[in-house]
Amino acid sequence: MKIAFYMTTILEYYGGMEKRMIDVSSELARRYPDLEICIVTRNNKFTEKLSKFLAFLGRYKFDRTSIYKESYKKIAQKLGKVQYIKTNSFWETRDILKKCNVVYSKNEVLETIIFKYFIWYKNIKYLIFGCHTALYYPYWEQLHNLLYTTWIYKFLTSGVNIFHVLNSKDRQIIQNLWRKSIQIFNPINQHISSKEKDIPISISGKDYNIAWIWRLTKQKWIWRLKKIIDFLARKNLSNNVVVHIFWDGERRSEIEKITEKYSFVRYYGFLNNSMIESFLSKMDLLIHTSLRESYWLTVIEANIQDVPVLAFNIPWPKDLIKNGKNGILVSGLEEYCKELEKFVKWENSIKSSKLFISKLLDNEKIYWEYYELLTKER
């Protein structure tokens, strides 16, 4: 059975969606030999042009290196039996996808336009949209919510057979649009190798080590991170706290300014999966500032390392974070800072349970649900 995972931009960008697509496709191919799986994207040239256009719209400087976080060679190694195909045109993309029994695509408006007007829904035998971009954003995101929660999205996704949702909030929205959906959690694959377990990091035993691991973009609400760091300094908590910031993006210069201002803040740039997991194992707390997530992969990776999470109480994390079990959810920035202060002063007041998240995310069950989604009788 031929299965294609599709996304418009290349895997070398290596954000959360790219990592998930690599992990899930390679593991499905390993577990189920009857699946012939490929990942289809447009080529490097198209991705660069699209990234330049988005930088222009977002009014930030285009950085070519931000597209190539992981090498093609390493991605090919991780994919194993899965074929990675880059196409030179949408016509070529259409010809490849037409031959597949099932196509799984990310759910962004860009993909809906491509399938509706360039590839054409009628050419796809069975199409699954994975809701890896949240359908609803709280707090003044009117344009996004208009595009993803109204008749506009229903019209653009007219040829989608089923939506794979990652949280109960998105499932409710899809139901309100009178569309078919299934909720399956993403599996969690650990990548720490024996060589990378002891990666050196500047940690002192008397410090609380706090991690922030997200793309440095507007969507991750970096201004909140800056306010939190200012709060730690203002409350004289910086003497026994180190804030470790990982990843990369167009807002890198803002983070570099913070590190120049505060000695207790350290920035490491981009790290691959195994390095992130290794660093997380040395952390005491993961802080999350974004209000735009459908599924918090890094939160799960932290919990697997028995690291608790402090995050904002938006709709999606309620499926994954239970107060007092594996983290704390707060309603606003003031409460967020109070909980952080309590964590530092009262010695780990935020608890985590590796067992809780491990029971919730049963990989055997999740991969079988993926397999059934891709292969069940139509």
Side-chain angles (χ1 to χ4, degrees), residues 299-300 302-309 320-327 350-360:
V299 167
I300 296 167
N303 278 172
I304 289 294
Q305 302 299 330
D306 223 14
V307 177
V309 178
L320 296 172
I321 298 177
K322 303 299 179 185
N323 278 345
K325 290 277 189 181
N326 58 335
I350 305 174
K351 303 299 181 183
S352 179
S353 170
K354 180 179 179 179
L355 185 62
F356 172 79
I357 201 71
S358 298
K359 284 184 177 179
L360 184 65

Side-chain angles (χ1 to χ4, degrees), residues 3 33 56 62 89 138 198 207 227 251 294-295 351 358:
I3 310 293
F56 171 75
F62 170 70
S89 67
D198 298 316
D207 292 328
K227 283 187 175 293
R251 300 298 179 94
S294 63
Y295 193 79
K351 303 299 181 183
S358 298

Side-chain angles (χ1 to χ4, degrees), residues 7 14 50 52 57 87 93 114 174 207 214 228 247 333:
M7 61 187 304
Y14 212 59
L50 178 62
K52 286 178 183 177
L57 291 181
T87 64
T93 304
I114 288 169
I174 293 297
D207 292 328
W214 320 99
I228 291 164
W247 217 254
L333 188 58

Side-chain angles (χ1 to χ4, degrees), residues 92-255:
E92 185 184 352
T93 304
R94 183 174 62 200
D95 289 342
I96 293 170
L97 298 184
K98 280 172 65 175
K99 298 173 184 176
C100 297
N101 302 99
V102 178
V103 175
Y104 183 106
S105 170
K106 61 190 295 191
N107 68 309
E108 291 190 3
V109 166
L110 173 64
E111 274 70 30
T112 69
I113 293 170
I114 288 169
F115 275 98
K116 192 169 185 69
Y117 297 108
F118 294 90
I119 295 173
W120 304 332
Y121 285 124
K122 66 180 182 181
N123 289 312
I124 307 301
K125 294 183 179 73
Y126 194 84
L127 181 60
I128 303 167
F129 262 25
C131 295
H132 299 275
T133 293
L135 299 175
Y136 174 79
Y137 288 160
Y139 304 102
W140 316 294
E141 296 289 348
Q142 291 97 334
L143 179 59
H144 176 94
N145 296 339
L146 175 68
L147 290 174
Y148 283 88
T149 65
T150 67
W151 64 269
I152 298 173
Y153 195 66
K154 186 176 181 180
F155 170 75
L156 289 172
T157 59
S158 58
V160 177
N161 296 96
I162 190 170
F163 290 84
H164 165 214
V165 298
L166 303 171
N167 59 73
S168 52
K169 176 66 176 179
D170 282 348
R171 186 167 199 176
Q172 179 187 345
I173 292 170
I174 293 297
Q175 287 174 344
N176 292 341
L177 294 174
W178 296 92
R179 306 302 298 278
K180 190 177 179 182
S181 69
I182 182 170
Q183 184 175 351
I184 304 173
F185 284 134
N186 269 331
I188 179 67
N189 295 340
Q190 290 183 276
H191 304 84
I192 299 179
S193 67
S194 57
K195 291 180 180 179
E196 293 172 313
K197 285 181 180 177
D198 298 316
I199 294 173
I201 181 174
S202 181
I203 289 179
S204 169
K206 66 178 181 180
D207 292 328
Y208 285 107
N209 294 282
I210 298 173
W212 190 94
I213 308 177
W214 320 99
R215 281 184 294 122
L216 304 181
T217 64
K218 177 184 176 183
Q219 288 81 2
K220 304 305 178 185
W221 293 65
I222 288 177
W223 69 268
R224 285 176 180 263
L225 174 63
K226 291 193 284 187
K227 283 187 175 293
I228 291 164
I229 290 170
D230 287 339
F231 170 82
L232 290 171
R234 192 168 62 250
K235 287 287 186 175
N236 295 319
L237 301 173
S238 56
N239 291 332
N240 50 357
V241 167
V242 179
V243 178
H244 306 267
I245 301 175
F246 308 95
W247 217 254
D248 201 358
E250 63 264 17
R251 300 298 179 94
R252 183 199 312 146
S253 60
E254 296 178 39
I255 299 300

Side-chain angles (χ1 to χ4, degrees), residues 327-345:
I328 293 289
L329 298 175
V330 298
S331 57
L333 188 58
E334 184 178 351
E335 187 184 354
Y336 195 109
C337 291
K338 285 181 180 178
E339 287 292 343
L340 190 56
E341 183 178 14
K342 196 189 303 182
F343 176 82
V344 176
K345 286 184 175 179

